[in-house]
Amino acid sequence: MYDIIALGELLIDFTPLGMTAAGRPYFEQNPGGAPANVAACLARLGKKASFIGKVGDDSFGKYLDGVLKGYGVDTTGLIFDPNGNTTLAFIHLSEQGERSFSFYRRPGADTLLTIQDIDLSRIERSRVFHFGSLSMTDNPSRMATLMAAEHARKKGIPLSFDPNLRLPLWSSPVKARDMMIVGLQLASIVKVSEEELEFITGIQDYEEGTRFIYETYGVPLIFVTLGERGCFYRIRTETGISRGYSVQSIDTTGAGDAFLGAVLLKWLDKGVEINQLSANDVAHFCDFANAVGAIVTTKMGGMSSLPDLEEIESFISRTSD
Ligand code: ATP
């Protein structure tokens, strides 16, 4: 039995480290991919995590497999495909610290995942199925993602969904929004950024935007991540804000994935169905998850910045003094 099975992209993030003496930027190779980050986060925090996806049959793919195994993630469902390269994402930071991405993914091996590649019985042996929107940008991985997610839903496995907005990866913004909505219709737990909430609903206000998602798509548990301000949450009709932690943030890559991993950990530990959670439970999850997200922003890289439980506990006790 797995606590979580995550399906989607596993890729290399090239994180900018600075300038050479000759004034040329240089980048560090970091493991990344939102669903893989969530699986790694849970494994780091002691849960049984498994990953389904595709990388190229190349040295980047082998490196990523090794990294996930190093975190304790089961990679039986990770396939090396000789017909595609492992996707590379170069991250650029503006002077204001805003991130933008250049993706090298034509075709990225992650988009070549087919339904035949997936052992559906492993999904049935998981307490939660996690997926994102980026495995739905292209076929065959779009069909594979949807069929796996629908299978989980049919078997009564709760679904967690992250509608990541990376517009250059989609054929059009309309397609991106349509696929995000399909994901929302299947999911019970959703994490969105402010920008994603507005993109999906056309509503800026968190209260109204999340109400729309709850009432229209039936998602009972929704988190809106607010960077240094923490997060907004909705559990059915109840909502709240959980304030963030003040840290010296240097790179926000993967903070949202770590936040979601931390929420899932707390929910799995609670051991109740989503419809039995109270607003108070969710507020506690958020406080813990804000700490995990904040810690990740204090280091370069996403997956490589994931803290263990000891580091989180020491961070929380230091900051609540
Ligand atoms: P991603 O781009 O990885 O999907 P996201 O936009 O969903 O991320 P963020 O809002 O950047 O996520 O961060 C997730 C969480 O991490 C926040 O809700 C907050 O708890 C924490 N966090 C992010 N940035 C900071 C910061 N500068 N200071 C303190 N905490 C932060």
Side-chain angles (χ1 to χ4, degrees):
M1 191 79 187
Y2 303 113
D3 291 303
I4 180 165
I5 192 154
L7 179 150
E9 67 281 10
L10 168 65
L11 47 78
I12 304 282
D13 280 332
F14 280 103
T15 313
L17 279 195
M19 292 285 182
T20 63
R24 287 190 288 271
Y26 64 98
F27 295 83
E28 181 181 67
Q29 171 177 322
N30 274 302
N37 285 343
V38 172
C41 178
L42 279 149
R44 183 118 172 93
L45 299 176
K47 292 291 166 207
K48 283 194 78 176
S50 184
F51 182 76
I52 299 172
K54 245 183 192 177
V55 286
D57 192 8
D58 50 32
S59 59
F60 288 128
K62 288 183 186 102
Y63 162 77
L64 290 168
D65 179 47
V67 171
L68 279 192
K69 284 195 171 102
Y71 279 105
V73 177
D74 166 68
T75 60
T76 318
L78 177 67
I79 294 170
F80 297 90
D81 193 325
N83 298 313
N85 294 318
T86 300
T87 292
L88 310 180
F90 283 79
I91 300 169
H92 309 284
L93 289 177
S94 72
E95 277 174 20
Q96 291 71 36
E98 297 287 327
R99 285 179 304 153
S100 61
F101 299 85
S102 308
F103 285 97
Y104 294 81
R105 190 195 196 213
R106 284 172 201 259
D110 53 317
T111 65
L112 301 180
L113 186 75
T114 67
I115 190 68
Q116 291 77 22
D117 290 327
I118 302 173
D119 175 0
L120 293 174
S121 71
R122 290 176 54 245
I123 295 177
E124 292 165 27
R125 284 182 276 124
S126 302
R127 292 175 66 196
V128 58
F129 175 84
H130 174 73
F131 69 121
S133 58
L134 297 189
S135 58
M136 296 193 283
T137 58
D138 294 88
N139 269 320
S141 64
R142 178 186 302 154
M143 286 311 294
T145 304
L146 287 176
M147 289 178 76
E150 276 159 13
H151 184 78
R153 172 107 182 190
K154 220 175 335 155
K155 294 288 171 184
I157 314 287
L159 283 87
S160 147
F161 178 58
D162 178 358
N164 252 306
L165 185 60
R166 303 276 185 264
L167 279 182
L169 293 179
W170 294 90
S171 55
S172 71
V174 173
K175 188 74 194 173
R177 186 168 172 275
D178 285 352
M179 296 318 298
M180 288 178 181
I181 289 173
V182 173
L184 294 177
Q185 285 166 333
L186 290 164
S188 309
I189 303 176
V190 166
K191 182 221 71 149
V192 287
S193 66
E194 295 171 274
E195 191 191 5
E196 287 153 359
L197 180 69
E198 190 179 353
F199 177 78
I200 296 167
T201 63
I203 304 169
Q204 263 184 345
D205 182 80
Y206 321 133
E207 189 82 37
E208 289 306 314
T210 56
R211 186 206 312 275
F212 181 84
I213 291 181
Y214 169 57
E215 290 177 355
T216 314
Y217 309 121
V219 184
L221 183 54
I222 307 166
F223 300 90
V224 185
T225 46
L226 307 175
E228 62 189 5
R229 287 168 294 138
C231 71
F232 173 91
Y233 59 87
R234 169 179 290 278
I235 172 82
R236 298 177 299 273
T237 56
E238 293 186 77
T239 63
I241 294 247
S242 175
R243 281 185 45 209
Y245 290 81
S246 182
V247 289
Q248 286 287 344
S249 157
I250 57 165
D251 178 13
T252 60
T253 308
D257 306 325
F259 173 94
L260 183 53
V263 162
L264 292 172
L265 171 88
K266 285 289 166 188
W267 168 58
L268 288 166
D269 280 350
K270 183 96 190 158
V272 301
E273 309 243 328
I274 291 163
N275 61 19
Q276 292 172 298
L277 287 173
S278 68
N280 196 34
D281 293 331
V282 177
H284 281 109
F285 298 176
C286 287
D287 188 41
F288 179 81
N290 280 335
V292 177
I295 294 170
V296 167
T297 73
T298 62
K299 306 174 211 171
M300 292 304 282
M303 198 186 291
S304 43
S305 308
L306 290 168
D308 61 14
L309 272 177
E310 203 181 317
E311 187 178 352
I312 302 166
E313 275 157 20
S314 127
F315 173 86
I316 292 176
S317 69
R318 252 187 295 127
T319 48
S320 49
D321 282 345

